[in-house]
Amino acid sequence: MSLAQGIRAGRAFVEIGANSAPLEAALARIKGRLQSFGASLTAVGAGLGGVSVGVLGALAWPLQLAARLETTSAAFETMLGSAEATQAMLAKLQAFGAETPFEFPEIADAAKKLLAFGSSADSVTDELRMLGDIGSAVGVPLGDIAEIYGKARVQGRLFAEDINQLTGRGIPIIQALAKQFGVADGDVRKLVETGKIGFPQLLKAF
């Protein structure tokens, strides 16, 4: 059974294929080939003067992308506990990225934050989709909303700072909570101060 991982960098894509080998082994092979190609270009460049410099500069981004993917993969494996779970997560995140305007590095960073704050591997993509819809609507980075959301999960309730961060980013959380509780907008902060707005209410508001 084959696995294809497409990681978006700007408008460019790097397709990484692996049969039954771990993702790290595939990455190592790719980096080795790119580095060998770069060494060959360097040798050729000795006879071409400055021409090879631009070529090698163009080669730098796939090397950087491979290194970034390797680091991301290692981080997820630490959090998820296995290479198989990591491959499944990366596949889900790549599929999510193909359906949204968000770039893979931003998606991966937001996913790591959600996992760190207690989200399950099975719920991450659904939560990213919910947060991504909000972020796209108000022009807020996905990672920012993921961090606020994750902290609220750990806290178990909303604090004034959370409300300020959300409203400061243009997210109409006060109006959504007011509607949910059937109170005026001005009463929402009082509910927050008395600890009556928990994470479940935030989730419902989102």
Side-chain angles (χ1 to χ4, degrees):
M1 185 175 182
S2 64
L3 172 67
Q5 298 291 345
I7 306 304
R8 179 166 54 184
R11 295 185 178 180
F13 289 82
V14 174
E15 293 296 333
I16 299 173
N19 294 325
S20 59
L23 182 59
E24 289 77 5
L27 285 168
R29 290 197 300 273
I30 292 170
K31 289 180 69 177
R33 290 170 185 168
L34 286 170
Q35 287 167 347
S36 295
F37 180 52
S40 298
L41 285 178
T42 301
V44 172
L48 295 179
V51 175
S52 65
V53 175
V55 177
L56 289 174
L59 179 66
W61 77 263
L63 286 172
Q64 293 170 354
L65 182 60
R68 179 184 297 175
L69 178 58
E70 187 172 13
T71 300
T72 298
S73 176
F76 276 117
E77 187 165 348
T78 298
M79 301 178 84
L80 298 174
S82 73
E84 292 75 14
T86 296
Q87 291 178 11
M89 175 61 70
L90 291 175
K92 290 179 181 179
L93 297 181
Q94 189 277 327
F96 172 74
E99 301 169 357
T100 70
F102 301 106
E103 300 292 345
F104 182 80
E106 182 178 12
I107 293 171
D109 180 64
K112 285 187 287 186
K113 288 179 180 179
L114 291 177
L115 289 171
F117 283 120
S119 294
S120 70
D122 292 334
S123 69
V124 164
T125 49
D126 287 338
E127 290 175 331
L128 285 175
R129 185 167 285 106
M130 173 185 68
L131 300 177
D133 287 343
I134 297 171
S136 296
V138 297
V140 175
L142 181 58
D144 285 5
I145 303 179
E147 184 168 350
I148 297 171
Y149 174 87
K151 286 181 178 178
R153 178 200 293 278
V154 173
Q155 295 166 172
R157 54 162 288 192
L158 285 185
F159 289 91
E161 180 184 358
D162 304 315
I163 294 293
N164 292 338
Q165 288 185 350
L166 290 168
T167 56
R169 287 168 170 78
I171 299 173
I173 188 64
I174 289 179
Q175 292 85 342
L177 289 170
K179 182 178 180 181
Q180 183 180 149
F181 282 87
V183 299
D185 291 358
D187 293 327
V188 169
R189 291 187 181 276
K190 296 178 183 178
L191 294 175
V192 171
E193 291 171 1
T194 55
K196 294 181 180 179
I197 299 182
F199 179 73
Q201 286 73 44
L202 173 65
L203 183 60
K204 184 177 180 180
F206 273 2

